[in-house]
């Protein structure tokens, strides 16, 4: 897998939407950023596990998908949606 940091400047788009930014923070973990950390994507072959929340130990798993960029998008949507959040 090859990944590079992207920023929502409009240069990389998916159906007209800018790509969320992300950075590699561990061997197989990426932090998803939107005005600060909003969640994580972790590569656990053969899937990418999507987590919402920060810091990582308190993040909640929300999905598992086979495409890295789809995983990043899911984290952004889940973290910024208007749906009520489960707290505990």
């Amino acid at each position: 897998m090859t990944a590079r940091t992207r920023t929502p400047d409009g240069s990389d788009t998916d159906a007209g939407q800018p790509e969320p930014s992300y950075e590699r923070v561990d061997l197989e973990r990426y932090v998803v950023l939107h005005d600060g950390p909003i969640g994580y994507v972790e590569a656990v072959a053969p899937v990418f596990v999507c987590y919402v929340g920060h810091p990582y130990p308190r993040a909640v798993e929300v999905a598992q998908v086979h495409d890295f960029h789809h995983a990043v998008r899911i984290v952004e949507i889940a973290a910024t949606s208007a749906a009520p959040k489960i707290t505990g």
Side-chain angles (χ1 to χ4, degrees):
M1 177 186 75
T2 304
R4 57 190 165 93
T5 301
R6 297 176 185 221
T7 55
D9 63 350
S11 60
D12 293 320
T13 60
D14 179 16
Q17 297 297 318
E19 181 73 23
S21 55
Y22 57 88
E23 293 178 7
R24 189 177 205 164
V25 292
D26 202 352
L27 185 60
E28 295 183 349
R29 186 178 307 145
Y30 298 80
V31 63
V32 181
L33 305 161
H34 182 84
D35 295 329
I38 59 171
Y40 299 85
V41 172
E42 191 164 32
V44 182
V47 297
F48 295 97
V49 183
C50 308
Y51 298 93
V52 172
H54 181 74
Y56 176 76
R58 299 190 69 188
V60 176
E61 181 179 337
V62 294
Q64 295 181 7
V65 296
H66 291 278
D67 180 76
F68 176 78
H69 296 288
H70 187 206
V72 171
R73 180 69 68 196
I74 287 171
V75 171
E76 180 189 45
I77 290 168
T80 60
S81 72
K85 305 290 188 264
I86 297 173
T87 59

